[in-house]
Amino acid sequence: MIKRLLPLAVFFALVGLLLFGIEWNKHHEMSEVPSPLIGKPAPEFTLPLLYDSAKSLSRKELLGAPYLLNVFGSWCPTCQDEHPILTNQIKPLGIKLVGLDWKDEPDDAKRWIAQFGNPYDVLITDRDGRAGIDFGVYMAPETFLIDAQGIVRYKRIGMFTPENIRDELLPKIAKLQQSAK
Amino acid sequence: MSTQRRHIEAAPSPLSWLGGEGCDEGAGAPMWDTASNIEKRPLTLPSLPSKSRWGRGFKTAALASLLVILALTSFGTHAIDPLPFKDRAEEVRFQNLTRQLRCLVCQNQDLADSDAALAGDLRKQVFEMMRGGKSDDEIKQYLVARYNDFVLYDPPLKPGTWLLWFAPLAFVLAGAFALVRIVRARARAALAAEQPKPPTQDEDW
């Protein structure tokens, strides 16, 4: 009897495994590559300001307070989708928001900002994408949470949504504020 | 034809719609890339002759769209920017290396093959590091430090990947074990059947 039921059991085990796979896939983005930079110092960068290319901003100058580094481009439609969320939900958090205009023409970026508004505290440009490579950026938008010591604490791949701000970003920021006290 | 045309014009890059880049799906953050694609953008459809000549039914339409697709994709193959290799050996080394590296944008393509703008940047980076005298391992390490083991087509052997590497072997062994057991059971059953007593009860299976 047991021997006869064995194939059926194997079949159901397989069905279970496949169902688990489907369920798991619903909650995980398979194309997301976890960043090896989490918990490590953010890479060095010195990049020109979008509105004054003669001046630049470096990693060192940003030390001392946590900040969000949002990688975007005027060519990126998802960044456009994310833009109102940056304005309405991220900016009110009071954390410094640095915009990294990635692989973009500065003039296009300025036009984009003029059209949609500027949620950023400061904007820097990475025209040839070198800094992006150092940060392991492979799509836009991507956002890094970097603490006061310059350590990467969190990376969001893709746009922020109210859900992942609530479930991921806010707890991470709260943790930073706790450890700062 | 007209719907197809509208489709192509609406898409940020005609190649991405035709699958020439193979990576505008997924991730919720499509990457209709940057500089290189914008340069390619003037490449729109070749202008088609007037409607009447093309209204000869499905076959002609199919042939025409095939031609259009061929024309567009063949342009796509030129998108990989030529690098100034100094000799054949350097080129071979570059090709070998970039075939072992995964494009982060088109995740089922290797770096050698991918048409994404980021892949172009990474190829350039690999090339410059080769020129800078870095070994293949150093270049791989450089990329792994930024993009994770995921950039390597062959995942490294370490505790976290044991399951990945050895599970197939475990499955083969389990299968072989089951096979041996079944064959033996059947051989026993066959032997029993040869015995003089009447074969009222055959094997279980």
Side-chain angles (χ1 to χ4, degrees):
Chain A
M1 188 62 185
I2 288 177
K3 215 173 178 183
R4 274 174 187 270
L5 283 180
L6 191 66
L8 195 66
V10 170
F11 171 73
F12 278 116
L14 207 58
V15 168
L17 181 72
L18 296 179
L19 282 179
F20 169 77
I22 293 173
E23 200 52 38
W24 196 85
N25 262 331
K26 278 189 201 160
H27 304 290
H28 294 77
E29 184 53 69
M30 290 308 284
S31 60
E32 260 183 35
V33 180
S35 174
L37 290 173
I38 308 290
K40 295 197 183 128
E44 293 291 343
F45 62 87
T46 305
L47 293 168
L49 301 183
L50 178 65
Y51 288 106
D52 186 357
S53 56
K55 286 187 193 151
S56 63
L57 182 71
S58 69
R59 172 185 182 272
K60 226 175 171 179
E61 292 166 73
L62 285 164
L63 292 178
Y67 60 99
L68 285 168
L69 182 74
N70 178 251
V71 181
F72 76 102
S74 66
W75 46 269
C76 150
T78 315
C79 304
Q80 207 170 308
D81 294 341
E82 189 188 44
H83 185 274
I85 292 176
L86 292 182
T87 308
N88 300 324
Q89 302 200 27
I90 303 278
K91 201 173 154 68
L93 297 178
I95 186 166
K96 188 170 202 172
L97 184 58
V98 180
L100 176 64
D101 181 37
W102 181 52
K103 286 176 71 59
D104 200 4
E105 292 297 322
D107 285 342
D108 291 344
K110 283 178 196 165
R111 229 181 347 256
W112 194 85
I113 293 285
Q115 186 178 349
F116 298 108
N118 184 1
Y120 301 104
D121 294 300
V122 57
L123 275 152
I124 48 182
T125 58
D126 179 27
R127 202 168 169 180
D128 61 5
R130 288 291 163 119
I133 291 179
D134 281 341
F135 270 91
V137 172
Y138 66 97
M139 59 161 68
E142 285 187 10
T143 307
F144 296 83
L145 173 64
I146 298 168
D147 72 9
Q149 287 76 45
I151 312 286
V152 180
R153 290 299 173 192
Y154 168 72
K155 177 184 183 184
R156 168 74 204 153
I157 298 165
M159 66 182 277
F160 271 121
T161 61
E163 293 77 37
N164 59 47
I165 289 175
R166 184 190 63 215
D167 298 338
E168 297 172 16
L169 181 64
L170 287 181
K172 294 280 176 188
I173 292 178
K175 219 168 149 188
L176 286 189
Q177 283 161 348
Q178 250 172 22
S179 60
K181 276 173 197 164
Chain B
M1 251 3 253
S2 66
T3 49
Q4 229 181 55
R5 226 176 146 171
R6 201 164 48 226
H7 237 304
I8 289 178
E9 280 162 2
S13 149
L15 293 172
S16 69
W17 176 71
L18 289 166
E21 295 180 320
C23 51
D24 48 342
E25 82 282 343
M31 174 132 174
W32 7 83
D33 277 327
T34 47
S36 74
N37 277 355
I38 290 164
E39 281 157 24
K40 267 185 279 165
R41 210 173 289 178
L43 178 153
T44 43
L45 273 180
S47 59
L48 293 171
S50 69
K51 233 179 194 170
S52 57
R53 284 185 59 196
W54 292 85
R56 283 217 200 143
F58 180 74
K59 247 184 179 172
T60 332
L63 187 69
S65 40
L66 186 69
L67 280 176
V68 167
I69 288 169
L70 280 178
L72 287 173
T73 46
S74 65
F75 272 110
T77 57
H78 293 288
I80 290 182
D81 34 311
L83 289 162
F85 297 111
K86 62 171 188 272
D87 54 22
R88 181 80 187 131
E90 188 179 51
E91 187 176 348
V92 168
R93 186 187 157 205
F94 178 84
Q95 294 296 347
N96 269 333
L97 185 55
T98 48
R99 270 185 224 298
Q100 297 169 49
L101 299 167
R102 188 192 299 273
C103 170
L104 278 298
V105 183
C106 312
Q107 298 188 345
N108 286 322
Q109 271 186 310
D110 58 36
L111 220 47
D113 225 16
S114 176
D115 198 18
L118 179 66
D121 288 353
L122 290 176
R123 276 195 298 273
K124 222 177 286 167
Q125 184 71 31
V126 167
F127 180 72
E128 281 167 20
M129 289 181 77
M130 277 172 57
R131 277 284 162 88
K134 303 277 189 213
S135 73
D136 287 6
D137 277 343
E138 282 171 318
I139 295 172
K140 282 184 193 173
Q141 272 318 306
Y142 169 89
L143 288 169
V144 166
R146 285 158 181 75
Y147 290 104
N148 221 327
D149 287 339
F150 191 77
V151 289
L152 305 174
Y153 253 104
D154 275 341
L157 191 56
K158 58 186 188 185
T161 59
W162 282 352
L163 192 64
L164 191 64
W165 279 97
F166 299 121
L169 188 68
F171 282 121
V172 167
L173 288 178
F177 179 72
L179 190 70
V180 165
R181 283 200 57 170
I182 289 167
V183 167
R184 279 195 181 158
R186 286 194 178 176
R188 265 200 304 275
L191 264 180
E194 276 173 25
Q195 300 296 314
K197 70 177 174 185
T200 46
Q201 289 173 336
D202 262 348
E203 65 257 48
D204 239 307
W205 297 79

